[in-house]
PDB file of all heavy atoms in Angstrom:
ATOM      1  N   ASP Q 273      10.049  10.409 -38.653  1.00  0.00           N
ATOM      2  CA  ASP Q 273      10.333   9.081 -39.146  1.00  0.00           C
ATOM      3  C   ASP Q 273       9.209   8.544 -40.137  1.00  0.00           C
ATOM      4  O   ASP Q 273       9.549   7.977 -41.161  1.00  0.00           O
ATOM      5  CB  ASP Q 273      10.380   8.110 -37.960  1.00  0.00           C
ATOM      6  CG  ASP Q 273      11.736   8.161 -37.215  1.00  0.00           C
ATOM      7  OD1 ASP Q 273      12.591   8.973 -37.639  1.00  0.00           O
ATOM      8  OD2 ASP Q 273      11.944   7.433 -36.278  1.00  0.00           O
ATOM      9  N   PHE Q 274       8.041   8.810 -39.753  1.00  0.00           N
ATOM     10  CA  PHE Q 274       6.886   8.285 -40.516  1.00  0.00           C
ATOM     11  C   PHE Q 274       6.512   9.249 -41.638  1.00  0.00           C
ATOM     12  O   PHE Q 274       5.628   8.925 -42.515  1.00  0.00           O
ATOM     13  CB  PHE Q 274       5.682   8.022 -39.623  1.00  0.00           C
ATOM     14  CG  PHE Q 274       5.816   6.839 -38.726  1.00  0.00           C
ATOM     15  CD1 PHE Q 274       5.436   6.896 -37.395  1.00  0.00           C
ATOM     16  CD2 PHE Q 274       6.346   5.585 -39.124  1.00  0.00           C
ATOM     17  CE1 PHE Q 274       5.518   5.845 -36.537  1.00  0.00           C
ATOM     18  CE2 PHE Q 274       6.453   4.585 -38.271  1.00  0.00           C
ATOM     19  CZ  PHE Q 274       6.065   4.645 -36.986  1.00  0.00           C
ATOM     20  N   GLY Q 275       6.887  10.537 -41.557  1.00  0.00           N
ATOM     21  CA  GLY Q 275       6.462  11.515 -42.539  1.00  0.00           C
ATOM     22  C   GLY Q 275       5.065  11.984 -42.254  1.00  0.00           C
ATOM     23  O   GLY Q 275       4.374  12.410 -43.218  1.00  0.00           O
ATOM     24  N   ILE Q 276       4.588  12.017 -41.008  1.00  0.00           N
ATOM     25  CA  ILE Q 276       3.292  12.555 -40.630  1.00  0.00           C
ATOM     26  C   ILE Q 276       3.407  13.468 -39.444  1.00  0.00           C
ATOM     27  O   ILE Q 276       4.455  13.510 -38.780  1.00  0.00           O
ATOM     28  CB  ILE Q 276       2.272  11.385 -40.293  1.00  0.00           C
ATOM     29  CG1 ILE Q 276       2.660  10.677 -39.033  1.00  0.00           C
ATOM     30  CG2 ILE Q 276       2.082  10.459 -41.514  1.00  0.00           C
ATOM     31  CD1 ILE Q 276       1.539   9.660 -38.554  1.00  0.00           C
ATOM     32  N   ASP Q 277       2.406  14.324 -39.277  1.00  0.00           N
ATOM     33  CA  ASP Q 277       2.378  15.211 -38.086  1.00  0.00           C
ATOM     34  C   ASP Q 277       1.855  14.412 -36.894  1.00  0.00           C
ATOM     35  O   ASP Q 277       0.712  13.846 -36.987  1.00  0.00           O
ATOM     36  CB  ASP Q 277       1.484  16.356 -38.383  1.00  0.00           C
ATOM     37  CG  ASP Q 277       1.799  17.170 -39.613  1.00  0.00           C
ATOM     38  OD1 ASP Q 277       3.039  17.302 -39.831  1.00  0.00           O
ATOM     39  OD2 ASP Q 277       0.888  17.519 -40.384  1.00  0.00           O
ATOM     40  N   ILE Q 278       2.617  14.401 -35.851  1.00  0.00           N
ATOM     41  CA  ILE Q 278       2.209  13.608 -34.612  1.00  0.00           C
ATOM     42  C   ILE Q 278       2.206  14.657 -33.470  1.00  0.00           C
ATOM     43  O   ILE Q 278       3.281  15.292 -33.189  1.00  0.00           O
ATOM     44  CB  ILE Q 278       3.122  12.466 -34.310  1.00  0.00           C
ATOM     45  CG1 ILE Q 278       2.976  11.448 -35.348  1.00  0.00           C
ATOM     46  CG2 ILE Q 278       2.810  11.872 -32.921  1.00  0.00           C
ATOM     47  CD1 ILE Q 278       3.801  10.109 -35.121  1.00  0.00           C
ATOM     48  N   VAL Q 279       1.115  14.841 -32.747  1.00  0.00           N
ATOM     49  CA  VAL Q 279       0.990  15.757 -31.601  1.00  0.00           C
ATOM     50  C   VAL Q 279       0.338  14.992 -30.408  1.00  0.00           C
ATOM     51  O   VAL Q 279      -0.825  14.729 -30.381  1.00  0.00           O
ATOM     52  CB  VAL Q 279       0.110  16.961 -31.960  1.00  0.00           C
ATOM     53  CG1 VAL Q 279       0.010  17.890 -30.743  1.00  0.00           C
ATOM     54  CG2 VAL Q 279       0.699  17.717 -33.159  1.00  0.00           C
ATOM     55  N   PRO Q 280       1.190  14.432 -29.574  1.00  0.00           N
ATOM     56  CA  PRO Q 280       0.672  13.678 -28.440  1.00  0.00           C
ATOM     57  C   PRO Q 280      -0.091  14.574 -27.413  1.00  0.00           C
ATOM     58  O   PRO Q 280       0.205  15.770 -27.375  1.00  0.00           O
ATOM     59  CB  PRO Q 280       1.905  13.084 -27.727  1.00  0.00           C
ATOM     60  CG  PRO Q 280       3.010  14.004 -28.150  1.00  0.00           C
ATOM     61  CD  PRO Q 280       2.663  14.535 -29.523  1.00  0.00           C
ATOM     62  N   ILE Q 281      -1.085  14.055 -26.699  1.00  0.00           N
ATOM     63  CA  ILE Q 281      -1.806  14.814 -25.734  1.00  0.00           C
ATOM     64  C   ILE Q 281      -1.776  14.096 -24.387  1.00  0.00           C
ATOM     65  O   ILE Q 281      -2.815  13.570 -23.956  1.00  0.00           O
ATOM     66  CB  ILE Q 281      -3.273  15.012 -26.218  1.00  0.00           C
ATOM     67  CG1 ILE Q 281      -3.916  13.727 -26.668  1.00  0.00           C
ATOM     68  CG2 ILE Q 281      -3.326  16.065 -27.349  1.00  0.00           C
ATOM     69  CD1 ILE Q 281      -5.502  13.843 -26.824  1.00  0.00           C
ATOM     70  N   PRO Q 282      -0.624  14.079 -23.702  1.00  0.00           N
ATOM     71  CA  PRO Q 282      -0.614  13.402 -22.422  1.00  0.00           C
ATOM     72  C   PRO Q 282      -1.609  14.170 -21.460  1.00  0.00           C
ATOM     73  O   PRO Q 282      -1.661  15.422 -21.443  1.00  0.00           O
ATOM     74  CB  PRO Q 282       0.837  13.695 -21.920  1.00  0.00           C
ATOM     75  CG  PRO Q 282       1.372  14.707 -22.774  1.00  0.00           C
ATOM     76  CD  PRO Q 282       0.699  14.674 -24.101  1.00  0.00           C
ATOM     77  N   GLY Q 283      -2.322  13.317 -20.714  1.00  0.00           N
ATOM     78  CA  GLY Q 283      -3.305  13.917 -19.822  1.00  0.00           C
ATOM     79  C   GLY Q 283      -2.776  14.073 -18.401  1.00  0.00           C
ATOM     80  O   GLY Q 283      -2.036  13.207 -17.961  1.00  0.00           O
ATOM     81  N   THR Q 284      -3.114  15.179 -17.765  1.00  0.00           N
ATOM     82  CA  THR Q 284      -2.761  15.323 -16.362  1.00  0.00           C
ATOM     83  C   THR Q 284      -3.701  16.369 -15.792  1.00  0.00           C
ATOM     84  O   THR Q 284      -4.281  17.122 -16.504  1.00  0.00           O
ATOM     85  CB  THR Q 284      -1.286  15.757 -16.127  1.00  0.00           C
ATOM     86  OG1 THR Q 284      -1.072  15.789 -14.749  1.00  0.00           O
ATOM     87  CG2 THR Q 284      -1.031  17.112 -16.796  1.00  0.00           C
ATOM     88  N   LYS Q 285      -3.774  16.344 -14.432  1.00  0.00           N
ATOM     89  CA  LYS Q 285      -4.593  17.301 -13.689  1.00  0.00           C
ATOM     90  C   LYS Q 285      -3.760  18.118 -12.736  1.00  0.00           C
ATOM     91  O   LYS Q 285      -4.271  18.759 -11.852  1.00  0.00           O
ATOM     92  CB  LYS Q 285      -5.800  16.656 -13.053  1.00  0.00           C
ATOM     93  CG  LYS Q 285      -5.468  15.492 -12.204  1.00  0.00           C
ATOM     94  CD  LYS Q 285      -6.707  14.766 -11.692  1.00  0.00           C
ATOM     95  CE  LYS Q 285      -6.296  13.553 -10.828  1.00  0.00           C
ATOM     96  NZ  LYS Q 285      -7.481  12.845 -10.337  1.00  0.00           N
ATOM     97  N   ARG Q 286      -2.406  17.934 -12.878  1.00  0.00           N
ATOM     98  CA  ARG Q 286      -1.545  18.600 -11.922  1.00  0.00           C
ATOM     99  C   ARG Q 286      -0.437  19.373 -12.682  1.00  0.00           C
ATOM    100  O   ARG Q 286       0.169  18.873 -13.663  1.00  0.00           O
ATOM    101  CB  ARG Q 286      -0.826  17.557 -11.050  1.00  0.00           C
ATOM    102  CG  ARG Q 286      -1.839  16.828 -10.169  1.00  0.00           C
ATOM    103  CD  ARG Q 286      -1.122  15.927  -9.156  1.00  0.00           C
ATOM    104  NE  ARG Q 286      -2.100  15.239  -8.295  1.00  0.00           N
ATOM    105  CZ  ARG Q 286      -2.638  14.068  -8.528  1.00  0.00           C
ATOM    106  NH1 ARG Q 286      -2.344  13.424  -9.669  1.00  0.00           N
ATOM    107  NH2 ARG Q 286      -3.515  13.546  -7.710  1.00  0.00           N
ATOM    108  N   ARG Q 287      -0.067  20.539 -12.123  1.00  0.00           N
ATOM    109  CA  ARG Q 287       0.915  21.364 -12.864  1.00  0.00           C
ATOM    110  C   ARG Q 287       2.272  20.695 -12.871  1.00  0.00           C
ATOM    111  O   ARG Q 287       3.047  20.774 -13.880  1.00  0.00           O
ATOM    112  CB  ARG Q 287       1.057  22.723 -12.086  1.00  0.00           C
ATOM    113  CG  ARG Q 287      -0.016  23.683 -12.353  1.00  0.00           C
ATOM    114  CD  ARG Q 287      -0.061  24.853 -11.379  1.00  0.00           C
ATOM    115  NE  ARG Q 287      -0.548  24.484 -10.051  1.00  0.00           N
ATOM    116  CZ  ARG Q 287      -0.748  25.300  -8.980  1.00  0.00           C
ATOM    117  NH1 ARG Q 287      -0.431  26.549  -9.122  1.00  0.00           N
ATOM    118  NH2 ARG Q 287      -1.169  24.860  -7.844  1.00  0.00           N
ATOM    119  N   SER Q 288       2.637  20.003 -11.814  1.00  0.00           N
ATOM    120  CA  SER Q 288       3.996  19.333 -11.775  1.00  0.00           C
ATOM    121  C   SER Q 288       4.180  18.388 -12.940  1.00  0.00           C
ATOM    122  O   SER Q 288       5.232  18.369 -13.615  1.00  0.00           O
ATOM    123  CB  SER Q 288       4.271  18.657 -10.458  1.00  0.00           C
ATOM    124  OG  SER Q 288       3.260  17.707 -10.180  1.00  0.00           O
TER     125      SER Q 288
END
Side-chain angles (χ1 to χ4, degrees):
D273 279 0
F274 290 136
I276 64 171
D277 304 322
I278 294 183
V279 179
I281 50 167
T284 185
K285 53 188 177 180
R286 296 186 180 92
R287 283 168 285 182
S288 57

